[in-house]
Amino acid sequence: MSTPNPMARSENRYSLSEADAWLVLQTLPGMTPERLNRLTESFAHPADALEAPLDVFARLCGRKAREVLEKDSPTDLAARIRQEASKLNTTVITRDSARYPESLREIYAPPGAFFTEGEILETDRLAVAIVGMRRPTDYGRRVARQLAADLSRKGVTIVSGMAYGVDAEAHKATLEAGGRTIAVLGCGLTQNYPADHKELRQEIAAHGAVISEFHLRAQPRKENFPRRNRLISGLSLATVVVEAAQRSGALLTARLALEQGREVMAVPGSVHTRKSTGCHYLLREGAHLVENADDIINALPEYARNMLDNPAHIRVKGLGPEKSEVREVPKVTRQANLTDDENALLLLLENGDSTIEALTQKRGLPAQEVSSALLRLELEGLVRQTNSGAYERVT
């Protein structure tokens, strides 16, 4: 098969940014991870795919996608999507962005773009997924809550799908413990699904993020949830299953985690209920047995354990929000030999460690400029990089 000629529709070549190209490709009707992956294998740049002959594009991505591109230019499509996202106070993160989670880049066919309410921080790479049944036993609910609360107090971000049952219990317990949590939806962010979780969703967005790779108005269709599950596992270092039947979405998430090279863990349950058969199957197949949060921590990669031992957080390891304490750091005085941005970064670091991403958001500078400024400060002996990758002032 000959390689598609990206020059065939070149009248607007390079007029579309890489970010907008990823956004349009991701949200075209009928676009699937497999189709997006085919495009990335066939074209060197996402904009090249959108400028290919329409019959070539239709063979790769389907008739519906072609029909949309026949009516509107990619530039207009991207502008409308971004305008709608802005009205909804929703952030668009595309695959070319420095804010795109590295953990997602590593999975098969990562989304070209996704939408988020709330913030995804660099510290969220220390994430664990907790998933399970929509109708768990009281035992399953208690275990999910205990694991989520204990992990979040240790600095772990909890990822789940905001569904009824185990998902909701994990999110709620994390929020109650003062931790961070990420919910991945199987529909667009304009959809209130599940309907009873509106307040929970608002709390998650305020203390973490609610994300979706689907178009803003996409309905919660059955076929969306396997795609959603691959992001739950993809964002996480490990997936922990708390109560699951032999055939369930939770077991699918575990299988996807295994395919992505992530750890798979399961909580044992009663032999007298079918609600534990999925977990027992995973344990027989070699999943890590989980009885408490330490079992999960001990099975994480070494670099993650080291980061948790030296967290880039103000909150002290292991303490709940009611016992939080702040490190005492001397106040910073303005230094004449530094630029305004360098002095501002020192001020931001006066209350503890911080990551490049967090400093970028607080200062409103491009990540590259923040990184360069930190390097100059490091050469001046004013800041240093910690084992966790964060930056701190030298006192």
Side-chain angles (χ1 to χ4, degrees):
M1 177 179 175
S2 61
T3 302
N5 179 9
M7 295 297 293
R9 289 199 299 134
S10 60
E11 65 276 6
N12 293 316
R13 187 167 172 76
Y14 302 124
S15 63
L16 188 68
S17 70
E18 184 175 1
D20 281 352
W22 282 125
L23 177 59
V24 171
L25 288 174
Q26 179 65 36
T27 54
L28 283 172
M31 185 62 68
T32 64
E34 293 75 19
R35 284 175 169 172
L36 188 62
N37 191 62
R38 277 205 301 270
L39 287 176
T40 58
E41 290 178 345
S42 300
F43 297 93
H45 190 282
D48 292 340
L50 291 167
E51 293 162 358
L54 286 174
D55 59 337
V56 173
F57 193 87
R59 285 200 300 271
L60 291 171
C61 299
R63 176 178 54 82
K64 291 182 179 180
R66 170 181 177 157
E67 291 174 352
V68 169
L69 293 178
E70 285 176 330
K71 296 177 181 178
D72 291 295
S73 72
T75 302
D76 289 342
L77 288 170
R80 282 206 298 272
I81 296 169
R82 290 190 181 278
Q83 184 178 30
E84 183 176 15
S86 178
K87 289 180 179 178
L88 296 169
N89 198 27
T90 296
T91 301
V92 178
I93 299 179
T94 55
R95 201 192 289 186
D96 63 304
S97 171
R99 300 170 64 187
Y100 194 99
E102 287 300 320
S103 56
L104 282 188
R105 295 185 195 276
E106 300 168 357
I107 70 173
Y108 170 76
F114 63 89
F115 303 90
T116 177
E117 297 172 353
E119 289 185 293
I120 295 181
L121 304 180
E122 187 176 340
T123 52
D124 292 331
R125 57 182 164 159
L126 294 175
V128 167
I130 297 180
V131 296
M133 300 195 76
R134 284 173 168 76
R135 294 184 177 86
T137 64
D138 288 341
Y139 162 78
R141 292 180 186 276
R142 291 197 308 271
V143 171
R145 291 184 64 84
Q146 190 67 59
L147 292 176
D150 290 347
L151 286 171
S152 63
R153 291 190 181 104
K154 293 175 182 290
V156 175
T157 298
I158 303 301
V159 181
S160 200
M162 212 176 75
Y164 294 114
V166 167
D167 289 21
E169 297 297 339
H171 289 306
K172 291 175 182 177
T174 301
L175 294 168
E176 291 168 5
R180 285 187 55 80
T181 184
I182 296 174
V184 187
L185 303 189
C187 58
L189 291 186
T190 61
Q191 306 301 307
N192 184 27
Y193 182 85
D196 294 343
H197 286 173
K198 183 177 180 179
E199 290 185 6
L200 174 61
R201 173 173 167 171
Q202 291 172 344
E203 288 188 55
I204 293 171
H207 300 89
V210 178
I211 74 171
S212 172
E213 69 172 313
F214 297 99
H215 193 284
L216 288 165
R217 300 191 178 279
Q219 297 293 314
R221 302 184 185 280
K222 182 178 179 180
E223 61 268 22
N224 292 353
F225 291 91
R227 288 179 59 175
R228 182 275 306 265
N229 292 348
R230 93 188 198 289
L231 298 192
I232 291 175
S233 58
L235 285 165
S236 308
L237 295 168
T239 292
V240 182
V241 182
V242 180
E243 289 196 332
Q246 188 69 44
R247 297 182 62 183
S248 65
L251 253 64
L252 173 60
T253 308
R255 179 176 64 79
L256 291 167
L258 191 63
E259 292 175 356
Q260 293 164 348
R262 312 297 162 83
E263 300 294 338
V264 176
M265 310 180 188
V267 176
S270 170
V271 298
H272 299 295
T273 174
R274 296 179 64 184
K275 294 188 176 184
S276 293
T277 55
C279 292
H280 294 166
Y281 166 78
L282 291 174
L283 291 169
R284 284 194 297 271
E285 293 296 308
H288 297 279
L289 187 149
V290 169
E291 294 180 327
N292 52 53
D294 286 338
D295 291 334
I296 298 171
I297 298 294
N298 292 335
L300 294 180
E302 183 179 1
Y303 77 88
R305 298 198 304 271
N306 290 338
M307 289 177 68
L308 290 171
D309 286 337
N310 300 281
H313 299 291
I314 293 177
R315 192 169 62 198
V316 174
K317 174 185 174 183
L319 297 184
E322 72 283 354
K323 298 181 181 179
S324 296
E325 56 188 67
V326 177
R327 305 181 190 133
E328 294 184 2
V329 182
K331 294 290 182 181
V332 177
T333 56
R334 180 178 175 82
Q335 301 192 35
N337 62 320
L338 301 180
T339 66
D340 289 343
D341 287 336
E342 290 163 357
N343 271 301
L345 291 175
L346 281 179
L347 285 169
L348 290 173
L349 290 170
E350 72 177 27
N351 284 326
D353 303 345
S354 192
T355 62
I356 289 179
E357 182 173 6
L359 291 169
T360 297
Q361 294 172 352
K362 292 176 182 177
R363 182 58 181 164
L365 291 172
Q368 186 174 358
E369 291 185 23
V370 172
S371 180
S372 297
L374 288 171
L375 177 59
R376 291 193 297 271
L377 292 172
E378 195 169 6
L379 293 173
E380 291 287 338
L382 297 173
V383 304
R384 62 188 169 208
Q385 194 170 19
T386 68
N387 291 336
S388 67
Y391 284 85
E392 65 181 6
R393 284 192 58 240
V394 176
T395 58

